[in-house]
Amino acid sequence: MAQKEVLGTPPEGIHPTYPYKVVLLGSTSVGKSSLAYRYVKNDFKESLPTVGCSFFTQMLNMEVATVKLEIWDTAGQEKYQSVCHLYYRGAHAALLVYDITNKETLNRAKLWLRDLEKEFLPDEIVIALVGNKVDLAAEREVATEEGEEFARTRGLLFMETSAKSNYQVNDIFMAIARELLQREQEKARAPSPHGRSTVTLGESRVRTGCCRL
Amino acid sequence: MERMRSGVVSWSQDGGALSRFCGEGWEGVKPEGASRGRQPRRGEGDEVTAAMASDGGRKQFWKRSGAKVPGSIQHVYGAQHPPFDPLLHGTLVKPGSKLPATPVKLKKVSTFQEFESNTSDAWDLGDDDDELLAIAAENLNTEVVMETAHKVIENHSKLQEQHKFQEEHLQEEKQVESVELTSTACGDNRLVKSISEGHTSSSSDNASENTSMQRSQSLPQTSTPPLVSGMADCNTSVTPALTEREASRLDKFKLLLAGPNTDLEELRKLSWSGIPKRVRPIAWKLLSGYLPANVDRRESTLQRKRKEYFAFVEQYYDSRNDENHQDTYRQIHIDIPRMSPEVLRLQPKVTEIFERILFIWAIRHPASGYVQGINDLATPFFVVFICEYIEEEEVENFDVSSLPEEVLQNIEADSYWCMSKLLDGIQDNYTFAQPGIQKKVKMLEELVSRIDEQVHRHLDLHEVKYLQFAFRWMNNLLMREVPLRCTIRLWDTYQSEPEGFSHFHLYVCAAFLVRWRKEILEEKDFQELLIFLQNLPTVHWGNEEISVLLAEAYRLKFAFADAPNHYKK
């Protein structure tokens, strides 16, 4: 209850709504679009290579607040990277997706992490490392421990998923939402009495808006 | 520009349509006038825009088009009609009682619409055109018009008896035709017609009934029936017989193509409003510059180019697993199976062909290399060229490997070269940082801010960036936004326009965006807007919609391209 008040919940107990921008980053064909599609539509289909970015939204009713995730699914091909950074500006969270059957894609995810670390301060963005395609366990090239260990040393959330068999897809987005809310609360407890209310989130939207050409 | 002007008989020459758009008598119209006249009007809503034709003098508009068009009305085709504004088909304006001198006269339009809707099927028979137009031109007063209309209807229904048998067979096409012809004469009145014919059309075709419903859901202001047969060009086996006009167009193409030297200018003019599918393969090859205009040189050119392509394959294709090329190949190899070229089933043979085409192109164009999206651009060529050998309806279930190897090789080489020609014009779309796309998205933004400030402001207000939806429009030439049959139709025109893919496309994109203004303005939230813009409901689109879009794009080009100060704020 105290938390809610800190978050600026109106006395009637209506949950505040927080919009968060979440970007999916990673190599081509690791399953970014499929993860988004599974999460938002709870379905799996072969998807076309993403061009530019695709946009999805999902509402999450959490205990203390409603979270509105804006999911930005980016194109994986490196050629697009110059455009991609325009999409991840202003993000509150990022999923670095790799394909557990392709070691190279983990290396690529590490490069994405480097990019993000240049762009954001550590407390500005929640980052999750996601090893997708666990349904293809027989072709696994990246051990679970390897991803886990890397995530631990860099302070990332970590999960292995399968968009195809719907394994832990919800869980990873939920984990991100929880982490975002928790950070929200921590910030609210910080010196500034106003905390990060929706007003400040509005500001962050303005940041999103700066990706003009 | 000059060429296109002369090509677009029905409106750029006689100016009838311009006066509609400008809301002024057309004599005074300059591009400047055009845009000034339009901008405020856009914001004023459907009724006002629907009535624009009458602005500045009710007689001029239809008298002029009437006076100039009659002889050619039967042959005016597709997008070269005086384009009617696709945004306006919504609200049927109620007849106003008293008409102010300016700026709009709702009543006139409405009654004109009624008049036209009651008589438009008379266009079908052709014989009445001149008489009707002459009468109409002289009598713009409602009573007389209505009286005339009734006469025409009466006359027509008599004739209809005689033509009953024929009618039964050609009914659908004629509806299409009459709808299109209707817009030739007067543009916006199509609404009434659509409503009155919607039932006939949809009851005769269950599929179209569905589409009609879905469309009216997504596009409440457009009550045009889906006109499946109108896109007989593609994906429909409803009506094997050609309409008279289609046949006449086909003859024109054949005549043009048969000569010892095909007049490419003439071919472009003719192709601008759509190429009959039977001659599309050769027309595309000519338009892209792949085939020479001289008939005697064609066969040898084809042989030489095909040989040349397969020499590339021999030279380069084995290097696809080399260290410096394997990334390119791997990307292509991953992407091809993920394509869904709609009508084309991805069978191993097709996959191989696409991989070779794309890999060879990428290797030979190292400045850009392979960029996702380029794979899409090979599809229309492949589908069109394969239709040289099989019926279009068969494409979907056709076992490509049953074609002789030589035929497949020809299709592959032709697709490669034509795709190369296309890409030559837009290579900066795919070089590092994709400057061509970034530039065009920026231009799109500027253009839309000029042509529809309300939409532009709305997007801006909700912080929707053009790049967020239009990147894909540019990168994939709208192929992800419209069905393949529409892309193919679109490319008829792109290949007929100077700088069609690189420049005219921008105007098409602007027209495409503004096409959804109603829906856009209804969305009051960033997320909904972006989701809408990334998933535009075009699944039932056909030639009709593309023709409207192209006409609007042409109008924009006409108004803005030669007036850069107009364009820049």
Side-chain angles (χ1 to χ4, degrees):
Chain A
M1 201 54 207
Q3 284 173 355
K4 277 189 190 175
E5 275 156 19
V6 176
L7 281 168
T9 314
E12 311 87 63
I14 299 167
H15 284 198
T17 299
Y18 294 103
Y20 290 119
K21 177 172 176 177
V22 180
V23 287
L24 285 151
L25 301 171
S27 300
T28 183
S29 198
V30 295
K32 297 177 294 300
S33 302
S34 295
L35 283 170
Y37 198 76
R38 168 63 78 186
Y39 179 57
V40 174
K41 312 262 184 184
N42 194 21
D43 199 1
F44 180 80
K45 58 163 192 181
E46 289 285 326
S47 39
L48 293 161
T50 306
V51 168
C53 73
S54 299
F55 182 77
F56 302 88
T57 61
Q58 182 72 308
M59 296 282 274
L60 278 175
N61 281 312
M62 313 280 282
E63 199 178 323
V64 293
T66 299
V67 169
K68 197 170 183 184
L69 295 181
E70 283 179 7
I71 301 167
W72 294 75
D73 170 28
T74 63
Q77 196 188 3
E78 280 176 56
K79 294 255 168 63
Y80 283 123
Q81 213 176 325
S82 57
V83 182
C84 250
H85 76 273
L86 298 174
Y87 297 123
Y88 67 61
R89 275 191 205 161
H92 302 96
L95 278 80
L96 298 179
V97 186
Y98 67 94
D99 171 358
I100 61 144
T101 70
N102 183 344
K103 177 113 187 186
E104 182 54 33
T105 61
L106 176 60
N107 296 334
R108 191 75 205 108
K110 291 175 181 173
L111 292 179
W112 274 113
L113 179 62
R114 210 182 55 192
D115 283 0
L116 287 176
E117 285 172 346
K118 276 188 218 158
E119 186 99 1
F120 296 89
L121 294 170
D123 64 341
E124 274 184 328
I125 186 165
V126 174
I127 302 174
L129 185 68
V130 181
N132 191 35
K133 304 197 188 180
V134 291
D135 53 291
L136 301 177
E139 297 163 45
R140 182 188 279 276
E141 276 185 13
V142 183
T144 309
E145 296 72 29
E146 193 179 342
E148 212 167 31
E149 177 61 17
F150 177 74
R152 197 182 53 76
T153 58
R154 309 298 285 268
L156 315 176
L157 298 174
F158 175 76
M159 221 169 265
E160 286 195 334
T161 59
S162 166
K164 194 169 189 174
S165 60
N166 196 13
Y167 175 71
Q168 297 206 136
V169 177
N170 263 324
D171 307 49
I172 186 64
F173 282 97
M174 192 57 99
I176 286 170
R178 278 204 205 94
E179 178 69 21
L180 283 165
L181 278 182
Q182 198 179 330
R183 290 195 184 186
E184 202 75 53
Q185 291 164 11
E186 279 162 15
K187 275 183 190 141
R189 285 193 207 98
S192 156
H194 299 297
R196 267 195 116 207
S197 69
T198 40
V199 179
T200 16
L201 285 169
E203 266 172 34
S204 66
R205 171 56 77 65
V206 174
R207 269 189 70 193
T208 321
C210 70
C211 60
R212 286 182 164 273
L213 290 170
Chain B
M1 199 61 199
E2 194 48 49
R3 181 179 57 71
M4 284 317 303
R5 240 180 260 181
S6 57
V8 183
V9 176
S10 54
W11 66 284
S12 59
Q13 265 184 358
D14 71 22
L18 254 188
S19 67
R20 275 181 52 238
F21 285 110
C22 304
E24 297 168 16
W26 86 277
E27 297 93 331
V29 170
K30 290 178 201 134
E32 285 80 6
S35 73
R36 257 205 315 274
R38 290 192 66 254
Q39 278 191 1
R41 209 193 51 232
R42 285 273 187 191
E44 286 163 29
D46 286 340
E47 292 92 326
V48 179
T49 27
M52 66 184 169
S54 58
D55 191 352
R58 34 157 71 172
K59 291 203 178 185
Q60 285 88 327
F61 147 60
W62 116 264
K63 193 172 190 174
R64 284 215 176 80
S65 1
K68 303 227 176 187
V69 169
S72 59
I73 200 160
Q74 223 180 348
H75 306 293
V76 174
Y77 182 72
Q80 292 190 5
H81 298 154
F84 52 93
D85 193 320
L87 309 169
L88 306 176
H89 298 161
T91 331
L92 171 56
V93 286
K94 286 177 193 153
S97 44
K98 288 266 178 180
L99 301 172
T102 54
V104 289
K105 300 173 177 97
L106 299 183
K107 180 177 180 186
K108 193 229 114 201
V109 168
S110 164
T111 51
F112 175 68
Q113 284 175 338
E114 286 164 25
F115 159 66
E116 196 285 327
S117 73
N118 286 328
T119 58
S120 59
D121 49 355
W123 306 118
D124 297 352
L125 297 171
D127 303 328
D128 295 318
D129 290 356
D130 291 353
E131 190 191 353
L132 195 65
L133 283 162
I135 295 168
E138 280 170 24
N139 307 286
L140 283 163
N141 126 357
T142 310
E143 288 76 18
V144 183
V145 167
M146 288 312 290
E147 199 187 321
T148 317
H150 287 303
K151 271 188 215 160
V152 173
I153 293 165
E154 216 173 74
N155 185 19
H156 179 59
S157 54
K158 279 180 206 156
L159 283 167
Q160 235 175 356
E161 304 258 300
Q162 297 164 15
H163 291 276
K164 201 176 173 189
F165 178 76
Q166 202 186 345
E167 286 283 313
E168 274 168 11
H169 284 267
L170 297 175
Q171 192 181 20
E172 276 194 27
E173 295 96 314
K174 295 213 167 186
Q175 281 172 3
V176 176
E177 197 177 349
S178 59
V179 167
E180 291 183 34
L181 287 169
T182 299
S183 50
T184 307
C186 52
D188 301 325
N189 52 22
R190 215 168 58 118
L191 173 70
V192 180
K193 171 152 197 65
S194 308
I195 289 169
S196 62
E197 289 190 354
H199 291 296
T200 336
S201 173
S202 50
S203 58
S204 67
D205 184 333
N206 279 337
S208 64
E209 191 170 348
N210 287 338
T211 55
S212 154
M213 281 170 62
Q214 289 185 29
R215 279 182 37 146
S216 56
Q217 248 180 354
S218 55
L219 318 169
Q221 90 279 31
T222 313
S223 26
T224 324
L227 303 167
V228 173
S229 60
M231 14 188 231
D233 242 354
C234 280
N235 285 355
T236 168
S237 48
V238 178
T239 46
L242 295 178
T243 63
E244 203 180 312
R245 196 198 51 198
E246 280 169 348
S248 135
R249 273 183 64 76
L250 183 59
D251 286 344
K252 277 191 192 170
F253 272 96
K254 282 182 173 164
L255 199 67
L256 196 56
L257 296 167
N261 277 297
T262 299
D263 182 342
L264 292 179
E265 278 304 290
E266 205 52 46
L267 182 64
R268 287 195 192 100
K269 273 185 205 169
L270 207 51
S271 302
W272 201 95
S273 23
I275 304 172
K277 64 178 174 184
R278 287 186 211 172
V279 291
R280 190 175 264 140
I282 186 169
W284 277 26
K285 286 174 202 171
L286 283 161
L287 290 170
S288 67
Y290 174 48
L291 267 191
N294 184 299
V295 172
D296 297 333
R297 287 178 49 222
R298 282 184 201 157
E299 195 47 47
S300 58
T301 304
L302 280 179
Q303 280 179 11
R304 184 168 48 81
K305 296 303 271 184
R306 287 165 180 171
K307 220 169 122 188
E308 195 180 339
Y309 169 73
F310 282 101
F312 292 154
V313 172
E314 200 166 318
Q315 187 183 348
Y316 299 115
Y317 200 56
D318 285 340
S319 73
R320 63 189 182 281
N321 293 316
D322 291 0
E323 200 173 333
N324 48 345
H325 293 155
Q326 65 179 8
D327 281 354
T328 299
Y329 179 71
R330 199 169 53 206
Q331 185 71 61
I332 292 169
H333 187 67
I334 290 172
D335 284 351
I336 301 297
R338 292 200 285 165
M339 286 166 67
S340 61
E342 299 174 55
V343 297
L344 193 62
R345 202 158 48 86
L346 273 177
Q347 31 205 314
K349 203 82 195 172
V350 176
T351 310
E352 283 169 29
I353 290 173
F354 273 66
E355 282 186 8
R356 275 195 298 269
I357 291 175
L358 293 167
F359 182 76
I360 300 299
W361 188 87
I363 293 303
R364 290 185 49 78
H365 297 82
S368 59
Y370 169 74
V371 177
Q372 285 175 333
I374 291 180
N375 53 336
D376 284 356
L377 305 183
T379 309
F381 292 114
F382 186 84
V383 170
V384 165
F385 294 155
I386 206 169
C387 286
E388 228 176 333
Y389 303 95
I390 61 176
E391 283 302 313
E392 190 140 9
E393 293 74 28
E394 293 174 349
V395 173
E396 201 162 353
N397 298 309
F398 189 75
D399 177 10
V400 169
S401 61
S402 71
L403 281 173
E405 191 59 31
E406 196 197 336
V407 163
L408 280 175
Q409 287 188 351
N410 292 348
I411 295 169
E412 178 176 340
D414 295 351
S415 302
Y416 171 82
W417 287 113
C418 289
M419 186 191 79
S420 298
K421 297 270 186 191
L422 188 170
L423 284 165
D424 284 349
I426 53 170
Q427 221 189 326
D428 65 345
N429 280 5
Y430 305 109
T431 49
F432 179 73
Q434 305 193 262
I437 291 182
Q438 305 218 22
K439 191 180 81 193
K440 272 172 251 180
V441 171
K442 189 77 192 151
M443 283 163 81
L444 176 69
E445 183 173 356
E446 281 183 25
L447 185 57
V448 172
S449 75
R450 304 300 311 268
I451 62 172
D452 197 332
E453 205 189 347
Q454 203 184 355
V455 164
H456 179 74
R457 274 206 318 262
H458 188 75
L459 294 177
D460 195 48
L461 178 72
H462 295 285
E463 289 165 16
V464 175
K465 303 283 163 260
Y466 284 71
L467 196 67
Q468 291 160 350
F469 59 89
F471 181 89
R472 195 171 70 187
W473 295 11
M474 301 301 172
N475 194 74
N476 293 42
L477 296 173
L478 287 177
M479 281 190 70
R480 293 276 182 97
E481 325 305 320
V482 298
L484 182 63
R485 58 177 180 272
C486 295
T487 297
I488 289 174
R489 169 62 193 87
L490 206 53
W491 287 19
D492 289 345
T493 303
Y494 282 6
Q495 293 182 92
S496 311
E497 266 282 318
E499 301 182 293
F501 293 100
S502 58
H503 189 69
F504 187 64
H505 178 66
L506 172 68
Y507 296 99
V508 172
C509 287
F512 189 61
L513 178 62
V514 172
R515 162 75 179 71
W516 309 101
R517 80 185 306 273
K518 186 169 179 288
E519 291 85 347
I520 289 170
L521 294 176
E522 274 168 8
E523 300 289 0
K524 302 292 183 200
D525 151 74
F526 168 82
Q527 302 191 353
E528 295 306 315
L529 266 171
L530 201 52
I531 285 175
F532 176 74
L533 287 168
Q534 290 201 348
N535 302 279
L536 293 165
T538 61
V539 68
H540 303 297
W541 273 32
N543 284 351
E544 173 82 358
E545 286 81 2
I546 295 299
S547 294
V548 172
L549 192 66
L550 286 167
E552 177 68 5
Y554 184 75
R555 190 185 64 76
L556 292 175
K557 182 187 137 176
F558 189 83
F560 288 91
D562 295 334
N565 290 333
H566 246 267
Y567 186 131
K568 288 179 186 135
K569 272 190 174 172

